[in-house]
Amino acid sequence: MSEVLLDIKNLKTSFRIKDDYYAAVDNVSLIVKKNEVLAIVGESGSGKSAFAFSIMGLHTRAKIEGEINYKGNNLVQASPNQMKKLRGNEMGMIFQDALSALNPLMVVGAQIDEAIFLHNPKSSKSLRKKQVINLLNQVGIPRPEKTYDQYPHELSGGMRQRIVIAMAISNQPELLIADEPTTALDVTIQSQILDLIKELKETIHAGIILITHDLGVVAEMADRVAVMYAGQIVEIADVYTLMENPQHPYTRSLLNSIPTLNDVKEDLHVIEGVVPSLQNLPRTGCRFASRIPWIKDSVHEASPELHEISSGHYVRCTCYKDFYFPEQAEEECNYVAN
Amino acid sequence: MSLIKVENLKVHFPVRGGVFQTVKDHVRAVDGVSFSIEQGQTYGLVGESGSGKTTTGRAIIGLNDITSGKVMFEGKDLSSVSKKEYIDVRKDIQMIFQDPFSSLNPKKRVADIVAEPLRNYENLSPKEERIRIQELMELVGLSPEAIYKYPHEFSGGQRQRIGIARAIALNPKLIIADEPVSALDVSVQAQVLNFMREIQKELNLTYLFISHDLGIIRHMCDHIGIMYKGRYVEEGTSEEIFTNPQHIYTKRLIAAIPDSNPRNREMHYENRKLVKSEYDKLEKDFFDEKGLPFSLKSISATHQVALPERG
């Protein structure tokens, strides 16, 4: 059993809308171990990015409750100064959009240099330059000396994302949060970046939180997966269990709605309705109930909890036991009729 | 006869510079693309960003000027027909755009958005128009009362369906769908894709489906063309491209798709490395001095590959 790096308990991040607080992240508890990739999956609006920002302390106006225990310190209570020391040093973040994450007026080498300098003000300039070149090498940039003096706009999307990764790992972070690191990239570049993150994991032994909506990326990268819906974790399990034996209706619907390369030309599963907005979210009962209206109300719990159904596999609400797809029901009816 | 036939299409954009803004060079966005689509089929155009797939679609519908080459629609050459004839043809070709958030005018009501093509082409009385719009709304699965709402009142998937309603308002024959689902969440994606297939059957539509997502392309398309730097590297049926890719670029593209089975992870990773090393080794053979793919050679009746000149 490897060491626990991050232990989050009942994290609740609320935003103020018209004099009222609404929780975008609602009672999320999970742990991240050293040297593992935890993927967080969900649609837009499920609170996955709000969750990542809470860990990094990047929310300015949100109300954050609960505990984020990082190596024995509760980050929720940490002062802005303490957070500043952690961010970019022990905790690195890779953002989705590399172009807006980089300063357009600074050469990329200087930006990475800055990240190192801020946390080691005593290091010498020449040493830092060497470090930056090493980092650029590490993230697979072909001519690091030349790239050092280039501006972000001179680089391609994949290269920019590599720079952002180099910045994130510049101080050997122990926790790396990647928020949709490949969503803006082409498939070939995506596979390169994912392979790079995988290789980096082997060398820096960091715990990685990978936020994505792409289940293919999850299958390629993750050790464990947490599925988020409307601010809550609805299912959490190791990647094999989750992909092969998903239980929660939302997880099953998601897996059914992506076209795979093997079964072609069949209709995809459609999840009815939309993710409710923060203000319209039902605060009691199963939050997914409105999207599976063919399931009887009686099978949902009044206040759904996460249940451990096998070792390390948690599912929220009891509705998973009675869940079926409407298509399935039709087939069964036909079968009986024949 | 195929519904649309594109022959050696070229779209070049001038690069201007210097004191007098003279033309210094050209960006060859589309550089000799040929394909044809049969009625009722879906043709997929795949490529990375910058490969020219969107420009090809826009050139067909007339949003970008064609530098040279022909676009034959039902036997008529679109680049040489008179303006009047062109307006007629243009009715039969419609487009679905990528971003449902910027392709609908936020100041107009849905009724006016969907009615725009009708007002351009058909002389309907206000009452007839309303009935037609309500029919269309029902066809795309939105409630007919919703026509007096504004685009911001709808979700992404619903907006994309409004875009589709506008595209099918004039009963077109060909629809050019430029990344119709890449701005949408997976569950909504499924909804729009299913729906596009449904109306295809119902209205006997032909699609030119532009996407970078090979999973979706495989799901939707009968024929596929793969573009790289404005040219084709491979063309064939969906089956041929996915089970028997011949060009190193196609192989690499397919190897890059994430595998949805986590147990194949290691194997997939090794395979990707293998394909990458093969690509690096053969890159010089498969592309000319400028790094462009060669012209296509047939290897079967439907399968064409840009193989090197010397076999």
Side-chain angles (χ1 to χ4, degrees):
Chain A
M1 194 76 174
S2 51
E3 206 183 314
V4 172
L5 190 66
L6 192 67
D7 185 359
I8 296 170
K9 285 196 186 115
N10 303 326
L11 180 70
K12 192 170 181 181
T13 304
S14 327
F15 295 101
R16 194 175 159 154
I17 308 169
K18 287 182 193 149
D19 295 333
D20 222 339
Y21 280 96
Y22 294 93
V25 179
D26 204 356
N27 267 329
V28 169
S29 305
L30 51 79
I31 53 167
V32 183
K33 291 176 216 154
K34 251 186 163 167
N35 209 5
E36 81 163 351
V37 179
L38 171 76
I40 298 182
V41 202
E43 289 174 272
S44 39
S46 59
K48 51 195 198 305
S49 287
F51 173 68
F53 276 51
S54 308
I55 301 172
M56 293 293 280
L58 292 173
H59 287 303
T60 47
R61 290 225 175 83
K63 187 168 82 178
I64 298 175
E65 296 156 286
E67 289 173 39
I68 304 173
N69 293 311
Y70 174 75
K71 288 183 166 174
N73 298 325
N74 185 357
L75 299 187
V76 174
Q77 259 124 40
S79 69
N81 253 335
Q82 280 173 307
M83 282 311 290
K84 228 180 214 169
K85 274 190 194 135
L86 284 175
R87 257 196 314 258
N89 192 14
E90 291 193 29
M91 307 194 309
M93 185 148 179
I94 303 170
F95 294 91
Q96 173 172 2
D97 183 1
L99 190 59
S100 51
L102 295 170
N103 183 343
L105 300 176
M106 249 168 118
V107 296
V108 294
Q111 301 192 39
I112 305 173
D113 186 277
E114 189 183 30
I116 304 173
F117 175 74
L118 282 175
H119 296 285
N120 304 294
K122 288 188 191 119
S123 57
S124 78
K125 209 171 176 188
S126 58
L127 189 75
R128 287 205 307 270
K129 174 135 192 181
K130 227 179 255 167
Q131 265 180 296
V132 173
I133 301 283
N134 270 341
L135 278 167
L136 291 175
N137 248 328
Q138 207 181 344
V139 295
I141 286 189
R143 284 179 305 276
E145 285 84 8
K146 189 174 168 243
T147 310
Y148 187 98
D149 290 317
Q150 283 182 311
Y151 288 93
H153 75 264
E154 296 177 272
L155 303 171
S156 66
M159 285 296 155
R160 277 183 214 137
Q161 195 56 282
R162 283 168 200 264
I163 303 289
V164 173
I165 294 175
M167 259 161 92
I169 62 164
S170 58
N171 292 305
Q172 273 102 36
E174 294 188 43
L175 177 71
L176 193 61
I177 300 178
D179 188 1
E180 307 256 10
T182 58
T183 309
L185 304 173
D186 279 320
V187 264
T188 46
I189 315 291
Q190 163 171 306
S191 70
Q192 287 168 17
I193 298 288
L194 293 180
D195 286 348
L196 173 68
I197 295 177
K198 233 184 272 178
E199 284 153 21
L200 287 175
K201 190 191 111 187
E202 303 297 315
T203 50
I204 61 177
H205 301 293
I208 299 178
I209 299 179
L210 176 74
I211 293 169
T212 180
H213 67 271
D214 188 334
L215 290 157
V217 171
V218 171
E220 290 271 341
M221 299 286 294
D223 298 313
R224 283 190 307 132
V225 189
V227 181
M228 267 184 101
Y229 180 78
Q232 291 180 321
I233 289 178
V234 293
E235 185 162 3
I236 184 162
D238 68 89
V239 66
Y240 302 110
T241 313
L242 193 103
M243 300 298 270
E244 286 161 11
N245 186 22
Q247 291 299 325
H248 195 276
Y250 182 58
T251 317
R252 290 173 61 188
S253 310
L254 268 186
L255 284 167
N256 254 353
S257 66
I258 44 168
T260 57
L261 291 176
N262 308 323
D263 56 355
V264 205
K265 287 270 169 185
E266 267 179 43
D267 266 359
L268 300 168
H269 175 69
V270 173
I271 307 179
E272 278 188 33
V274 288
V275 181
S277 68
L278 262 188
Q279 282 153 290
N280 302 328
L281 205 60
R283 294 284 156 186
T284 54
C286 181
R287 296 187 179 181
F288 196 60
S290 64
R291 303 189 68 182
I292 43 173
W294 64 92
I295 302 292
K296 285 195 302 269
D297 283 343
S298 57
V299 305
H300 293 291
E301 270 173 274
S303 50
E305 297 287 331
L306 279 175
H307 306 283
E308 185 164 20
I309 58 166
S310 64
S311 169
H313 187 177
Y314 294 86
V315 184
R316 192 176 290 275
C317 194
T318 44
C319 57
Y320 74 90
K321 290 180 192 158
D322 294 285
F323 177 73
Y324 58 88
F325 288 111
E327 299 95 276
Q328 255 174 341
E330 269 168 43
E331 271 165 35
E332 270 161 35
C333 283
N334 291 343
Y335 181 74
V336 171
N338 292 338
Chain B
M1 194 184 68
S2 39
L3 181 75
I4 184 163
K5 196 165 182 198
V6 176
E7 278 173 44
N8 206 14
L9 180 75
K10 288 187 185 175
V11 181
H12 295 177
F13 296 108
V15 178
R16 287 172 193 277
V19 185
F20 298 108
Q21 293 292 301
T22 47
V23 176
K24 298 277 179 202
D25 198 2
H26 284 93
V27 176
R28 295 174 166 75
V30 181
D31 201 17
V33 162
S34 310
F35 62 87
S36 61
I37 316 175
E38 303 295 322
Q39 171 101 45
Q41 297 233 304
T42 305
Y43 189 95
L45 212 49
V46 197
E48 293 178 75
S49 38
S51 61
K53 54 191 195 303
T54 297
T55 313
T56 306
R58 290 173 62 93
I60 291 171
I61 204 168
L63 292 173
N64 284 129
D65 289 334
I66 295 171
T67 309
S68 74
K70 276 186 192 167
V71 178
M72 310 282 286
F73 185 77
E74 295 186 308
K76 269 184 256 167
D77 182 0
L78 293 191
S79 48
S80 66
V81 293
S82 69
K83 225 175 184 174
K84 210 170 151 215
E85 257 183 301
Y86 182 73
I87 289 172
D88 264 355
V89 176
R90 190 53 181 72
K91 197 176 135 180
D92 292 332
I93 311 177
Q94 294 291 332
M95 190 148 180
I96 302 172
F97 294 92
Q98 173 171 8
D99 185 359
F101 295 89
S102 58
S103 60
L104 303 176
N105 188 338
K107 290 188 176 176
K108 282 188 174 177
R109 290 176 193 275
V110 170
D112 293 316
I113 292 172
V114 179
E116 201 166 328
L118 293 170
R119 288 175 192 163
N120 284 341
Y121 282 101
E122 273 162 42
N123 252 331
L124 298 178
S125 70
K127 200 181 160 202
E128 286 170 335
E129 187 186 282
R130 209 189 60 233
I131 292 169
R132 177 83 181 115
I133 293 168
Q134 284 176 338
E135 274 171 21
L136 285 166
M137 293 298 275
E138 250 165 84
L139 194 61
V140 297
L142 294 172
S143 80
E145 295 89 63
I147 63 170
Y148 297 114
K149 287 190 183 172
Y150 286 94
H152 73 260
E153 295 174 72
F154 294 91
S155 68
Q158 287 172 326
R159 284 188 212 206
Q160 199 56 306
R161 287 198 261 174
I162 296 170
I164 295 175
R166 176 174 61 184
I168 60 176
L170 293 166
N171 294 321
K173 291 172 182 150
L174 174 70
I175 287 187
I176 297 173
D178 186 5
E179 306 259 14
V181 293
S182 50
L184 306 173
D185 264 322
V186 264
S187 61
V188 186
Q189 229 173 48
Q191 194 183 17
V192 173
L193 292 178
N194 281 350
F195 172 69
M196 281 181 70
R197 287 234 307 250
E198 254 167 57
I199 56 165
Q200 176 170 39
K201 268 182 236 152
E202 229 165 275
L203 307 173
N204 195 22
L205 288 170
T206 309
Y207 287 133
L208 175 62
F209 197 95
I210 300 169
S211 178
H212 69 275
D213 188 326
L214 283 154
I216 292 171
I217 285 281
R218 168 115 214 221
H219 181 74
M220 294 291 289
C221 301
D222 307 297
H223 287 266
I224 297 170
I226 296 182
M227 283 185 80
Y228 179 71
K229 292 194 178 171
R231 294 193 187 175
Y232 260 33
V233 293
E234 193 158 353
E235 188 197 17
T237 61
S238 196
E239 200 57 34
E240 284 164 342
I241 297 284
F242 279 98
T243 56
N244 185 23
Q246 290 296 315
H247 199 280
I248 49 167
Y249 181 75
T250 317
K251 285 185 195 169
R252 211 173 137 198
L253 215 52
I254 291 171
I257 310 170
D259 196 315
S260 55
N261 184 352
R263 299 214 185 265
N264 296 340
R265 197 186 278 180
E266 288 304 312
M267 201 180 77
H268 197 60
Y269 177 64
E270 291 305 320
N271 177 43
R272 206 154 54 220
K273 267 194 174 158
L274 200 77
V275 172
K276 171 92 168 69
S277 69
E278 190 196 30
Y279 186 88
D280 290 340
K281 208 169 70 194
L282 297 173
E283 198 177 358
K284 279 203 182 65
D285 297 337
F286 273 87
F287 298 100
D288 65 13
E289 322 71 84
K290 286 185 195 151
L292 296 170
F294 295 100
S295 50
L296 293 175
K297 288 170 196 64
S298 297
I299 60 165
S300 80
T302 49
H303 196 174
Q304 292 178 299
V305 189
L307 289 172
E309 306 285 340
R310 44 187 186 284

